Amino acid sequence: MTIVRDRLAAIRGVEPADVERAAEVNYARLFHKRKDIPGAVAYALKGNIYINVTRACTNNCAFCLRNRRDNFFYGYNLNLAVDPTAGEMVEAATALAREGRHGEIVFCGYGEPTCRAADVLEAARALKSLGLPLRLDTNGHGNMINRRDIVPELAGVFAGVSISLNAHDRASYARLCRPDAGEKAFDAVLDFIRRAAASRMACAVTVLDCPGVDVEACRALVSSIPRARFRVRTFYKE
Ligand code: SF4
């Protein structure tokens, strides 16, 4: 069994303990009908701490899993009834960080963290004292959502930002990511990427290798932006 666990962990790029936890929780849900697994405000995965900021998003991507009734991820229940406060994010991440074995703290969610930019910044400033690098996972709509350039504020506290792009032009972005703002969202994302890449933050631009995404066209686009690093993420349906 450990061979299967370790192989699966290597394929998925996680730790064996992550596979073990997912198997245990799925077993309990499937065979013991466990429904009392509490929602995770912060969780440990792949050697990092992830903060589940929100389920709200300004996109409705064709490949997004957040609208499923049950959102369990490697054994963590990511369905929160309400978004956590900044204090709850700090408390949950701090408790995990005390274990002393994590590489970075990532603000993410099955949603867009910059919908809650003020709370994210408040929590990030508090967590900075832990000494772990902070990263923000975002769809790049932050400036559009907050109607101002939030990149300098982010750069004041985050070491890195990871921006999901998934499209190489306006029409593809509108078709795949289905943004609330329509076709203008693509330009806003590119502008956000350029500003983030020009800041002191390490800037990664990601695409999923799922049907409909032209990975090579995205790669060419990102390569034209100084200091932006391109990364392809593997798409898993479940
Ligand atoms: S940007 Fe992310 S959270 Fe939002 S709909 Fe797309 S995949 Fe889902």
Side-chain angles (χ1 to χ4, degrees), residues 56-61 63-66 109-112 139 164 177:
C57 191
T58 45
N59 272 347
N60 182 22
C61 299
F63 42 78
C64 186
L65 303 176
R66 79 193 161 100
Y110 264 135
E112 171 48 34
N139 65 11
S164 56
C177 300

Side-chain angles (χ1 to χ4, degrees), residues 179-229:
D180 295 347
E183 286 202 0
K184 74 173 186 187
F186 181 71
D187 294 339
V189 175
L190 281 188
D191 182 66
F192 187 90
I193 292 170
R194 288 192 183 100
R195 290 171 190 268
S199 78
R200 58 172 286 281
M201 292 185 285
C203 174
V205 180
T206 68
V207 300
L208 276 178
D209 62 351
C210 69
V213 174
D214 187 335
V215 172
E216 291 315 312
C218 293
R219 188 193 304 276
L221 175 61
V222 174
S223 72
S224 71
I225 302 173
R227 297 192 68 241
R229 187 168 58 86

Side-chain angles (χ1 to χ4, degrees), residues 24-195:
E24 281 168 13
V25 172
N26 288 343
Y27 181 86
R29 291 172 60 221
L30 190 62
F31 295 107
H32 296 290
K33 305 294 175 210
R34 280 271 316 268
K35 293 193 183 302
D36 57 347
I37 296 159
V41 172
Y43 54 96
L45 188 71
K46 296 189 272 188
N48 295 326
I49 296 168
Y50 291 83
I51 300 180
N52 187 10
V53 176
T54 183
R55 282 184 70 188
C57 191
T58 45
N59 272 347
N60 182 22
C61 299
F63 42 78
C64 186
L65 303 176
R66 79 193 161 100
N67 290 326
R68 295 176 303 180
R69 196 161 53 89
D70 285 335
N71 269 312
F72 279 80
F73 192 57
Y74 288 100
Y76 296 115
N77 177 7
L78 299 188
N79 280 335
L80 294 178
V82 291
D83 289 343
T85 64
E88 287 166 340
M89 291 187 244
V90 172
E91 192 182 346
T94 303
L96 289 171
R98 280 201 194 103
E99 295 171 12
R101 59 184 183 88
H102 300 105
E104 61 178 352
I105 299 177
V106 185
F107 285 72
C108 58
Y110 264 135
E112 171 48 34
T114 62
C115 289
R116 303 189 55 213
D119 290 321
V120 163
L121 283 162
E122 181 184 334
R125 285 176 188 130
L127 288 168
K128 208 166 180 304
S129 63
L130 295 176
L132 289 173
L134 305 180
R135 172 159 59 92
L136 175 71
D137 281 0
T138 174
N139 65 11
H141 291 195
N143 290 352
M144 194 168 51
I145 294 167
N146 295 281
R147 297 173 190 230
R148 68 176 197 281
D149 181 7
I150 63 169
V151 171
E153 292 162 79
L154 297 175
V157 67
F158 285 95
V161 61
S162 180
I163 305 164
S164 56
L165 180 62
N166 298 315
H168 61 287
D169 61 19
R170 289 178 192 152
S172 310
Y173 193 82
R175 177 170 46 80
L176 277 166
C177 300
R178 304 186 292 211
D180 295 347
E183 286 202 0
K184 74 173 186 187
F186 181 71
D187 294 339
V189 175
L190 281 188
D191 182 66
F192 187 90
I193 292 170
R194 288 192 183 100
R195 290 171 190 268

